[in-house]
Amino acid sequence: MDTDMPSDPVSVVAWLEAGLVADSYRLTRARHVILTVMATFGHPFTSTELEQAVADTDASIGRASVYRTLTLMESRGVVEKLHQAGIEHYTLCLKSEHHHHVTCVECGRTEEFAVKDNIDLMSAVDGLARRLGYLPRSHVLEVYGVCPLCQESGAGGSDAAPTNGHGAGGRHPLGRRADR
Amino acid sequence: MDTDMPSDPVSVVAWLEAGLVADSYRLTRARHVILTVMATFGHPFTSTELEQAVADTDASIGRASVYRTLTLMESRGVVEKLHQAGIEHYTLCLKSEHHHHVTCVECGRTEEFAVKDNIDLMSAVDGLARRLGYLPRSHVLEVYGVCPLCQESGAGGSDAAPTNGHGAGGRHPLGRRADR
DNA sequence: GTTTATACTGATACTAAGTATCATTAGGAT
DNA sequence: ATCCTAATGATACTTAGTATCAGTATAAAC
Ligand SMILES: [Mn+2]
Ligand SMILES: [Mn+2]
Ligand SMILES: [Zn+2]
Ligand SMILES: [Zn+2]
């Protein structure tokens, strides 16, 4: 229990909904469907993908509610907007501590890593700011690479084998142009 | 010569245009105006701000050319898109080496810092990726803080005094919500 | 200097992503 | 069962950016 996200979609949704109830948001049909779709994606997703998938699940749910739920979840810190290759992606965040993401450029798989497990890195960021005379406030850090599974299946290959929740058909064309 | 960007707008534009000529792009009136406006901003700017400022300078220049030039420059690596507080900003990049940006959350002032001057930081990023089993490929890093000038003028204040190219009237409402 | 080829232009129409409005519905407290 | 109002779906709108295309002006050839 380390690699594969300990919580299945169902319990993730349950947890998200518990949070909503705790803050006296109402538990609606639309929200349930939208959250379920979000939790079922294993990858970051675009708003359009979400819209699509929700429509496929229940055509009666309106566009606006998809965006409303997305925004609500973002404001609750449980969804985060990423900027992958110029395309806005959203991802569920299970970690509540200060963390960042590593994303596989081949398959889109995303993992969270806690800042507390990488103090050296983060103190380096703050140190850099201070060296330039800045009072550090915040930062954005996103790391891209090839995940273990994609390294196995094809030493320079394109798509991962559809195993281990890895499938979903090579979307996420993260053809990074270069470092930034 | 350290703090205040060694090159004035005019020489920046000259340099940009030299690059265009070198790659046999045409030196047009529209491009000249747009590049001049871009170089005159000291801060990152939104596409809308650019559009505005260009229109103010020369109303005959079309919207499309603004975006065309922006995109062209981006593809040439001399303009970069930043994601400040959810708003897309663009900024000129004078450094051609691998670098990142520190942005002042008070006044929007942005500085570039070369990766080669912060090897510890960057090796920490790669090290992190490798520790998670990823083959590092690229990363996005943006640092936010309060710049030296804004620290002076108001120890918790809002707008910087309009000195030192610092003015332009407290735009850039980078009211970051929290760390990411 | 005049001609010429075509890269680039401005106007305009269009798309994509997201937001605002508002009458209607349904969640959940009592 | 009743009631209040948060949340909804439909729809119109906005904002950021793209595509199209006839016309223009740059730069190279003469
Ligand atoms: Mn996360
Ligand atoms: Mn730069
Ligand atoms: Zn992968
Ligand atoms: Zn400042």
Side-chain angles (χ1 to χ4, degrees):
Chain A
M1 104 208 349
D2 177 43
T3 312
D4 232 327
M5 210 104 280
S7 15
D8 58 308
V10 176
S11 24
V12 170
V13 171
W15 179 73
L16 293 172
E17 291 186 326
L20 288 178
V21 169
D23 287 348
S24 59
Y25 285 97
R26 290 185 182 173
L27 217 44
T28 70
R29 203 176 133 44
R31 276 181 185 153
H32 182 75
V33 170
I34 295 164
L35 292 179
T36 302
V37 169
M38 290 191 349
T40 306
F41 285 125
H43 302 298
F45 49 89
T46 64
S47 55
T48 312
E49 287 170 335
L50 181 62
E51 222 180 303
Q52 274 296 339
V54 169
D56 290 354
T57 307
D58 182 340
S60 78
I61 292 174
R63 259 168 52 76
S65 286
V66 173
Y67 281 102
R68 278 191 285 242
T69 303
L70 199 48
T71 305
L72 172 62
M73 288 322 194
E74 209 183 340
S75 77
R76 311 195 87 239
V78 80
V79 160
E80 206 169 286
K81 209 180 225 174
L82 306 180
H83 316 279
Q84 298 180 358
I87 302 162
E88 305 295 326
H89 285 247
Y90 297 87
T91 192
L92 267 180
C93 288
L94 300 182
K95 279 199 165 52
S96 51
E97 347 144 56
H98 179 188
H99 68 274
H100 297 277
H101 301 106
V102 193
T103 302
C104 176
V105 295
E106 299 286 346
C107 71
R109 173 195 190 79
T110 291
E111 275 170 65
E112 309 183 314
F113 64 90
V115 160
K116 73 163 176 350
D117 299 335
N118 297 272
I119 335 112
D120 51 329
L121 207 177
M122 289 314 152
S123 63
V125 171
D126 283 6
L128 153 82
R130 265 189 290 266
R131 226 171 305 130
L132 289 169
Y134 282 63
L135 199 71
R137 278 284 180 80
S138 69
H139 52 259
V140 173
L141 173 62
E142 288 162 27
V143 180
Y144 299 92
V146 184
C147 80
L149 287 96
C150 284
Q151 286 177 58
E152 278 181 53
S153 53
S158 40
D159 277 346
T163 350
N164 205 275
H166 222 63
R171 289 181 299 86
H172 288 288
L174 304 182
R176 315 285 309 160
R177 36 189 191 291
D179 250 12
R180 310 212 307 153
Chain B
M1 90 187 21
D2 177 42
T3 314
D4 233 327
M5 210 105 278
S7 16
D8 58 308
V10 176
S11 24
V12 171
V13 171
W15 179 72
L16 293 172
E17 291 186 325
L20 288 178
V21 170
D23 287 349
S24 59
Y25 285 96
R26 289 185 184 173
L27 218 45
T28 71
R29 206 178 131 44
R31 274 178 186 156
H32 182 76
V33 171
I34 295 164
L35 292 179
T36 302
V37 169
M38 289 191 350
T40 305
F41 286 127
H43 302 297
F45 49 88
T46 63
S47 55
T48 312
E49 285 169 338
L50 182 61
E51 221 179 303
Q52 274 295 340
V54 168
D56 291 354
T57 306
D58 182 340
S60 78
I61 292 174
R63 255 169 56 75
S65 286
V66 173
Y67 281 101
R68 278 191 285 241
T69 303
L70 199 48
T71 305
L72 172 62
M73 289 320 194
E74 209 185 340
S75 78
R76 310 195 88 238
V78 80
V79 160
E80 206 169 284
K81 209 180 225 173
L82 304 181
H83 315 279
Q84 299 180 357
I87 301 162
E88 305 295 327
H89 284 249
Y90 296 86
T91 193
L92 267 179
C93 288
L94 300 183
K95 280 196 165 55
S96 51
E97 348 143 58
H98 179 189
H99 69 274
H100 298 278
H101 301 106
V102 193
T103 302
C104 176
V105 294
E106 299 286 346
C107 69
R109 173 194 191 79
T110 292
E111 276 170 66
E112 308 184 314
F113 63 91
V115 160
K116 74 164 174 354
D117 299 335
N118 297 273
I119 334 112
D120 51 329
L121 207 178
M122 290 314 152
S123 63
V125 171
D126 282 6
L128 153 82
R130 265 189 290 265
R131 225 171 309 129
L132 289 169
Y134 281 64
L135 199 70
R137 278 282 179 82
S138 67
H139 52 259
V140 173
L141 173 62
E142 288 162 27
V143 180
Y144 299 93
V146 184
C147 81
L149 287 97
C150 284
Q151 285 176 57
E152 278 180 52
S153 54
S158 38
D159 277 346
T163 350
N164 204 276
H166 222 64
R171 289 181 299 87
H172 288 286
L174 305 183
R176 314 285 308 161
R177 37 190 192 288
D179 251 12
R180 309 213 306 151

